[in-house]
Amino acid sequence: MRKPLTLLHRWGGLLAGLVLALLGLSGSLMVWQASLDSALNPAWFRAPTPACPATSQPVAATLELLARHVPGARAQTVVSPREPGAAFQVWEARQPETGWRTEHFIDPDCGRYLGSRERGAVRFDAAHAVPLLYELHSRLLGGETGHLIAGVAALI
């Protein structure tokens, strides 16, 4: 029994160590997720150069613009910008079939819908870089199965 248990211990420890190293490195990058996202997507996270007059009811204006540009979108969470004049983020609920969440960026002051991204989608572009890093860190890019593996590896 000693030899099989030694092999199990060696390979199990190596696999858990690799998963933990990946989680540790991605978690270290997640510390700067707001700065990274702002640098990669300045149109969403920085105020426009020619400032627009502030809207008196920015959340209502944001939801109105969302309804106009994306009919049928159901806002679950509205996040105020970190910088005055930057875009509001509107998150929809997770889609049951994919587990993704649509995140919309809206500038209510200037009356502009700036775009969206699918959080959870594996896409290699600037818009999806930080959500991809988050999915790698929390779910190992494997949905609920990856979430379970990451949790078990962390417990081990």
Side-chain angles (χ1 to χ4, degrees):
M1 280 303 276
R2 182 179 168 105
K3 189 170 184 167
L5 288 176
T6 301
L7 283 171
L8 178 66
H9 178 76
R10 179 181 302 146
W11 288 105
L14 181 62
L15 287 174
L18 288 172
V19 169
L20 290 175
L22 182 62
L23 292 175
L25 289 171
S26 60
S28 296
L29 286 172
M30 289 300 296
V31 171
W32 295 289
Q33 71 176 344
S35 299
L36 286 170
D37 220 0
S38 179
L40 292 170
N41 304 293
W44 293 344
F45 295 101
R46 295 192 189 130
T49 306
C52 300
T55 304
S56 62
Q57 295 183 331
V59 174
T62 297
L63 295 175
E64 182 183 314
L65 281 165
L66 176 65
R68 192 174 332 137
H69 288 277
V70 186
R74 295 183 326 184
Q76 183 180 44
T77 306
V78 178
V79 180
S80 296
R82 292 183 293 270
E83 182 180 321
F88 277 70
Q89 294 169 264
V90 180
W91 296 54
E92 292 189 54
R94 285 193 184 276
Q95 299 168 4
E97 58 278 353
T98 63
W100 299 351
R101 289 181 81 170
T102 303
E103 182 180 11
H104 304 275
F105 296 89
I106 299 169
D107 178 359
D109 295 339
C110 296
R112 297 181 303 161
Y113 178 85
L114 301 173
S116 66
R117 64 181 171 194
E118 298 293 333
R119 294 191 73 96
V122 179
R123 298 193 182 130
F124 299 98
D125 59 2
H128 291 87
V130 171
L132 181 68
L133 180 64
Y134 177 82
E135 288 296 317
L136 175 66
H137 180 70
S138 66
R139 301 173 186 272
L140 300 172
L141 303 178
E144 288 305 314
T145 303
H147 203 177
L148 180 65
I149 292 169
V152 169
L155 287 173
I156 290 173

